[in-house]
Amino acid sequence: MKRHYNFSGGVPADFFNISSLTAKSDTRFRVEDGHIVNAYNENIGDYDYISILTSKRYGGKVTMSTRCSFDSFGAPLIVFTDDFRTDETGHNFYGLHFEIVAYENGINIWHIIPAAEGAPRPIKVTKIAFAEFDVEAGKELELTVTVEGKRITARMAGSDGQIHTLTVENDDIPERFHVGITACEGINRFASFTVEGIENGN
């Protein structure tokens, strides 16, 4: 099954909101010039860290792509997980998840889990792969990620037009998972999101 989502009208009903344990605010994407975008939040003195996931889970060979950009610096990313909790207010928070990040110096892939009780930061973050190349700020990018078995493959063009590919394996990759996008650091803009894989229910 292949689904394509255009964000020109906002976040479709097929997605739900979710936050990192480090998020300082509970805000939502806004719509601007045919994109969904985060913002600088005066109340927290920082940029909003906003994330959405598909209500459906996917399995088998799953390919996700997003058309996105960042202003001057930023970290628009594709995320997947099958581990989250919902608190008493209905707010969703990530447990174990993977982030595949586009930024001004290339692509990073992160393995993120909740930290042990009493740790100085609520999450433990491990960079499991990276590829360094120049990425132009303000230019629309297409970040594509394929997850198959225990392997993640990410692809994106650099500012010179060359396609860069990054592959890593990790035993914590689940058999099926929700997929989505996150705006992290700076202003991040998303025009669309596409996912292709076997739908495995909610």
Side-chain angles (χ1 to χ4, degrees):
M1 172 70 70
K2 184 173 184 178
R3 295 185 182 272
H4 177 75
Y5 299 98
N6 186 307
F7 293 140
S8 60
V11 176
D14 289 3
F15 292 82
F16 64 93
N17 296 291
I18 184 167
S19 295
S20 166
L21 291 169
T22 62
K24 301 174 186 176
S25 61
D26 180 21
T27 53
R28 301 290 182 261
F29 281 106
R30 58 192 175 92
V31 180
E32 182 182 284
D33 297 329
H35 298 73
I36 55 173
V37 59
N38 66 333
Y40 185 80
N41 188 327
E42 296 286 353
N43 293 326
I44 63 173
D46 203 350
Y47 295 93
D48 284 320
Y49 186 9
I50 306 174
S51 191
I52 56 174
L53 287 175
T54 55
S55 298
K56 291 189 178 296
R57 289 186 287 187
Y58 291 84
K61 181 180 180 181
V62 184
T63 297
M64 305 152 270
S65 65
T66 183
R67 299 197 68 83
C68 59
S69 64
F70 56 87
D71 291 3
S72 70
F73 71 96
L77 64 93
I78 287 175
V79 58
F80 68 92
T81 187
D82 195 33
D83 182 22
F84 64 92
R85 66 175 178 84
T86 305
D87 70 12
E88 63 278 1
T89 69
H91 194 158
N92 302 302
F93 292 94
Y94 283 109
L96 164 69
H97 60 292
F98 292 86
E99 293 184 345
I100 301 88
V101 183
Y103 76 120
E104 57 268 23
N105 293 320
I107 304 171
N108 288 329
I109 301 181
W110 300 88
H111 173 283
I112 304 173
I113 58 174
E117 188 173 349
R121 193 178 185 207
I123 58 174
K124 180 181 178 183
V125 180
T126 305
K127 183 162 62 174
I128 57 175
F130 65 94
E132 292 188 345
F133 53 94
D134 291 335
V135 179
E136 185 177 345
K139 181 179 179 180
E140 188 172 71
L141 314 166
E142 183 166 14
L143 174 64
T144 300
V145 176
T146 298
V147 181
E148 186 173 15
K150 299 298 183 182
R151 178 177 297 173
I152 302 168
T153 301
R155 297 181 299 280
M156 190 175 74
S159 57
D160 61 358
Q162 180 181 346
I163 301 295
H164 297 264
T165 301
L166 175 62
T167 299
V168 66
E169 295 189 0
N170 190 278
D171 288 340
D172 286 342
I173 295 172
E175 290 186 6
R176 59 179 188 165
F177 42 82
H178 303 270
V179 302
I181 56 170
T182 301
C184 177
E185 302 177 7
I187 298 296
N188 296 248
R189 305 173 188 277
F190 298 89
S192 64
F193 182 75
T194 301
V195 56
E196 183 173 9
I198 300 169
E199 290 186 357
N200 280 289
N202 299 330

